[in-house]
Each structure stands twice: as C-alpha cells, then as structure tokens.
Amino acid sequence: MRVYNIGRKGNQNFPLDKKEKVNDIHARLVISDDGVWTLEDLGSLNGTYIITENGEQVEVRKKQITEYTRIILADTSVMGSSFFAHHLLEQDPDDYRKEFRHLVEQYERISRQKGEMEERIKQRRMVLSILPAVTSSALGVSARLVFSNSSNIVYIIIGMMSGVTALLNMLITWYNNRDKSLKVFSMRMQNLLVCPRCGFPLTDYNLQAQQCPACKAHA
C-alpha cells in the first residue's frame, strides 16, 4: 500500500509550498495493494475536488478515483493546485509523458462522442423539419372528409393547414434554439482536456503536439 499526504508540507514529489489556498496537509491518496485509488479530504479549508469522467467538478470527502482523475486542491487559480492523480507516481516531477498520452486518448474518445451527438441532433432536426408538412397534410385530408359537403371547404382547409404549419414551425424553432446539449457537452469535456501541469485548456493543435502553450509542459 502507498500513502500520499498531499499539501504544502506533504510527501508528494512536486512542490505545493507556494499555493496559499492549499493546507499544509490538504488531502490523502491511498493506493491499495490491489490497485484501488482512494482520495480523502483531510478537513481542508478550501476543499478537495475532482473532475468526473463527464467533465463535472464535484467536491470530495472520500472517494475512489482512477489513476488519471484530475484532482483540484482548493481551486484552479495560482493559489490552488490541479494535477492528475497519476503524477504522484512520477519520480521526475517534470515528466508528463504518460499524462499527455492519456489526454490524446481522451481527446479521441471525446471526438467520437461529439461526432455521434452531432449526428443524432442532425437526424432529429431532419425529422422535425418534415413534421409540419406531414401534420398539415394529415389535417387537410381529415378536414376534407369532415367538411365534404361544405362549399367553403377549400378555404377552411387552407386556413387550418397554414395555421398548424406556422405553429409547428415556431415550436420547432424554439426547441432547436433551446437545445444546448452539444454546447454543454463541449464545455464539460473541455474540463478534461487541460494541461496536466498548469490546467490550461488545450486546443486540438496542442493535443496533437502534446505540449502546453502556457507552461511549456510536454510529453
């Protein structure tokens, strides 16, 4: 079993002494003999957080995590600290090769998920786009049968079809504009694609180059 007491006076292999929001002993990470990683906050003033696989930031009291879970002590400002759990294993605190390789794998997975989501949204909008015409036609046929003896049937049908089509188009436009699922997904996933050293958001180019433009950390 390996135990890491993390903080300004912790036994981690990278310095946190200048991180003012981080406690002397802020959190503890225990790696059991069977490979279970458990992160525990030790009553810190500003909290311990992780970024989940869905890209959400959640506060941790005591929780099992993975080797590449992103840990946040206090916050992501210069007074807090952000790092991947794996970095506690690195003897060289400037070695980020494994973290960058993991980020590339994450980027490929996220790109696939984003493409699938875009395709689902495209198909849904295509179906919705033909709904007014189909509904209007069905209404026209029904009206024709109901008002078959009326001399004004043509005007009645045209009016009903126009009204229904306009209403449905308005509702579909409202729904499409309200659908923020892709935007929310992209924002959450960006929380995963950050520099393993400084937490700077990485672009597609940065990930392909496996280098951070802010702190110059690289694979």
Side-chain angles (χ1 to χ4, degrees):
M1 182 175 69
R2 282 176 284 185
V3 179
Y4 296 90
N5 292 317
I6 310 166
R8 289 186 296 177
K9 295 183 179 179
N11 65 337
Q12 75 280 344
N13 294 327
F14 47 91
L16 293 173
D17 54 300
K18 296 181 180 179
K19 304 295 185 178
E20 296 178 13
K21 289 187 176 181
V22 176
N23 286 39
D24 288 346
I25 302 297
H26 194 104
R28 177 178 292 128
L29 179 69
V30 177
I31 306 174
S32 68
D33 293 334
D34 55 353
V36 177
W37 294 53
T38 304
L39 177 66
E40 181 181 3
D41 180 82
L42 298 179
S44 65
L45 291 177
N46 297 299
T48 300
Y49 305 84
I50 63 169
I51 300 297
T52 69
E53 292 183 357
N54 294 325
E56 296 179 282
Q57 180 175 315
V58 297
E59 188 168 7
V60 169
R61 298 299 182 190
K62 187 174 183 179
K63 185 175 180 61
Q64 287 188 12
I65 63 173
T66 69
E67 181 178 355
Y68 289 101
T69 296
R70 183 181 167 208
I71 299 171
I72 299 172
L73 305 181
D75 57 36
T76 57
S77 71
V78 294
M79 294 187 292
S81 181
S82 169
F83 55 91
F84 289 112
H86 167 83
H87 206 61
L88 292 165
L89 303 180
E90 294 290 355
Q91 295 301 312
D92 180 0
D94 293 322
D95 187 351
Y96 292 95
R97 289 174 294 178
K98 289 185 178 180
E99 282 110 319
F100 270 105
R101 282 199 291 270
H102 173 74
L103 283 171
V104 171
E105 293 173 358
Q106 285 280 75
Y107 171 72
E108 292 172 350
R109 176 183 66 83
I110 290 169
S111 295
R112 288 194 299 270
Q113 290 179 340
K114 185 177 180 181
E116 292 168 358
M117 181 176 288
E118 288 173 336
E119 183 61 28
R120 288 196 298 270
I121 291 173
K122 179 182 177 181
Q123 292 177 357
R124 184 172 67 237
R125 290 186 174 182
M126 187 179 299
V127 171
L128 288 175
S129 68
I130 65 174
L131 182 61
V134 173
T135 304
S136 180
S137 298
L139 182 61
V141 172
S142 300
R144 180 69 179 178
L145 294 174
V146 173
F147 301 107
S148 58
N149 297 323
S150 174
S151 58
N152 296 321
I153 183 59
V154 174
Y155 302 106
I156 295 173
I157 292 175
I158 291 175
M160 294 175 66
M161 292 172 66
S162 299
V164 169
T165 300
L167 178 60
L168 286 175
N169 280 325
M170 288 175 60
L171 290 174
I172 290 169
T173 300
W174 173 82
Y175 174 79
N176 287 336
N177 291 335
R178 189 172 178 271
D179 184 8
K180 307 294 184 183
S181 57
L182 186 60
K183 183 178 180 180
V184 171
F185 173 82
S186 297
M187 291 175 63
R188 285 182 176 175
M189 293 304 102
Q190 187 57 63
N191 287 332
L192 298 175
L193 302 177
V194 299
C195 173
R197 180 182 182 185
C198 70
F200 186 83
L202 300 177
T203 65
D204 296 0
Y205 175 79
N206 302 147
L207 288 162
Q208 291 171 4
Q210 297 188 43
Q211 181 171 2
C212 175
C215 70
K216 308 305 179 185
H218 58 85

